[in-house]
Amino acid sequence: MSAPAIALRDVHLSLGRGAARVHILKGISLDIAKGEAVGLVGPSGSGKSTLLMTMAGLERPDSGSVYIDGEDLSPLDEDALARFRGARIGIVFQSFHLIPTMTALENVLTATDVHKKSGLVGALFGTPRARREEKEGRARAHELLQFMGIDHRSDQLGKNLPYGDQRRLEIARALGTEPKLVLLDEPAAG
């Protein structure tokens, strides 16, 4: 039997310091199977976003364990967590994290990250492999923009798009790495 996509075991997390410290996640345990879609509902301030950030390894629990696709996140340092997220998790945050000086296409290209595959030397000197991978990355980015219904906005700055199109752009970028797991915080906003 394969490992769940997400497994949390008795996760506790508090945020803040001193008298302002708040115990947000209290003994959360759950399994989410591969291919399963789960929605978290609850009142504002109940910890939904904090739970998602903990699943993504952006918040570290005070105690308990978080497993993504069978891998325990607790022994990973910040660099290893960043690499893990980049390769396996697509995240759409509650607030926009678009790069304001980039077009919609360029924002999605940051996720397809074609230069990571062929290396810095290939990217700088334009090796045939780097050129081919850049072309494939652009095609993939256009495909994602089209899937989200905003391909006609590919040359517009992300910051200038209407609110709903910015949300669609964030989702397209989250899908750019072909992640095994996609975490969406308030995905229907806008």
Side-chain angles (χ1 to χ4, degrees):
M1 183 172 172
S2 68
I6 301 170
L8 277 68
R9 301 290 178 256
D10 196 27
V11 170
H12 290 263
L13 176 71
S14 297
L15 296 175
R17 293 186 179 173
R21 191 160 179 85
V22 178
H23 193 177
I24 298 172
L25 303 179
K26 301 174 183 176
I28 305 293
S29 293
L30 64 87
D31 285 343
I32 300 173
K34 292 177 182 174
E36 187 174 12
V38 174
L40 299 174
V41 294
S44 181
S46 63
K48 300 179 302 291
S49 295
T50 302
L51 181 59
L52 287 175
M53 295 306 107
T54 304
M55 289 175 184
L58 292 166
E59 292 286 352
R60 294 224 186 224
D62 300 328
S63 64
S65 301
V66 177
Y67 298 88
I68 302 298
D69 203 24
E71 185 158 350
D72 184 359
L73 300 188
S74 59
L76 302 179
D77 65 21
E78 291 305 316
D79 289 339
L81 270 172
R83 284 189 301 275
F84 183 84
R85 274 191 301 274
R88 316 249 306 263
I89 302 174
I91 305 169
V92 175
F93 295 96
Q94 189 172 2
S95 59
F96 295 125
H97 287 207
L98 298 172
I99 302 169
T101 58
M102 290 186 168
T103 66
L105 178 66
E106 291 166 338
N107 266 280
V108 176
L109 282 171
T110 63
T112 61
D113 205 14
V114 296
H115 299 303
K116 193 184 292 184
K117 294 179 186 171
S118 50
L120 183 58
V121 173
L124 291 174
F125 296 104
T127 65
R129 178 179 171 186
R131 287 192 298 273
R132 182 183 70 250
E133 288 178 351
E134 182 175 359
K135 185 177 178 180
E136 290 169 1
R138 285 184 172 278
R140 173 79 176 133
H142 276 293
E143 180 181 292
L144 288 166
L145 290 171
Q146 185 175 29
F147 176 73
M148 294 306 301
I150 56 171
D151 191 44
H152 63 287
R153 298 199 184 275
S154 64
D155 293 330
Q156 295 177 20
L157 292 178
K159 69 178 184 178
N160 293 339
L161 298 181
Y163 184 86
D165 288 351
Q166 287 184 16
R167 178 62 67 204
R168 288 178 187 88
L169 177 55
E170 288 256 334
I171 295 170
R173 187 175 60 186
L175 297 173
T177 60
E178 300 179 27
K180 290 181 175 259
L181 173 65
V182 180
L183 300 172
L184 304 122
D185 195 358
E186 301 286 345

